[in-house]
Amino acid sequence: MTRGLLAMLSLVGLAACDGADGGDDVDPDLVDALVELHLADARAALDTVEARRPALAESLRRVALKAHGLDSAAFETRLDALAGAPALAEATYDSVETRLVRERQGSPAPRPDSLKAPPAPGF
């Protein structure tokens, strides 16, 4: 497993140990970054050359973090902050999971034109 995934799983474990409600809102920017990191790891895991996977994962993770104005140190700081708010960590990871499920399912395919309107007379 990758470092980021392990960190998030440990945060979920911490969240499960604390029943306190967090009054804070989930940070959508952090959710976006986490989703992209998970997708980067998945893309790297699918590479056909196993020896290339770790370097590819690291490269894709750097690109994903940079796209969100983060580096690995800033990202780790954000995760550490979540560790201090277990309910927020759980809510954040639930949001990540929801987004990943949507990504996996994709948007529904548009209906073919032939199904949008009744056939023309004579067909």
Side-chain angles (χ1 to χ4, degrees):
M1 285 191 168
T2 65
R3 235 180 21 239
L5 181 57
L6 288 173
M8 283 309 299
L9 290 175
S10 66
L11 288 174
V12 171
L14 285 172
C17 295
D18 185 342
D21 271 343
D24 300 328
D25 292 322
V26 171
D27 180 355
D29 294 331
L30 182 57
V31 170
D32 290 345
L34 289 166
V35 166
E36 287 190 36
L37 289 172
H38 281 290
L39 292 174
D41 291 341
R43 287 180 187 116
L46 294 173
D47 193 281
T48 57
V49 179
E50 187 172 344
R52 190 170 46 201
R53 291 176 189 164
L56 180 59
E58 186 61 33
S59 176
L60 292 172
R61 290 174 67 79
R62 273 195 311 270
V63 169
L65 288 173
K66 185 176 179 182
H68 292 281
L70 298 168
D71 59 16
S72 58
F75 178 68
E76 292 296 327
T77 300
R78 302 279 299 269
L79 291 181
D80 288 345
L82 277 182
L88 180 57
E90 183 175 24
T92 298
Y93 198 78
D94 286 346
S95 295
V96 169
E97 183 178 23
T98 299
R99 288 272 307 280
L100 289 170
V101 167
R102 273 190 291 184
E103 286 283 333
R104 182 174 181 222
Q105 293 173 343
S107 58
R111 291 175 47 182
D113 288 336
S114 62
L115 298 177
K116 291 181 183 174
F123 284 96

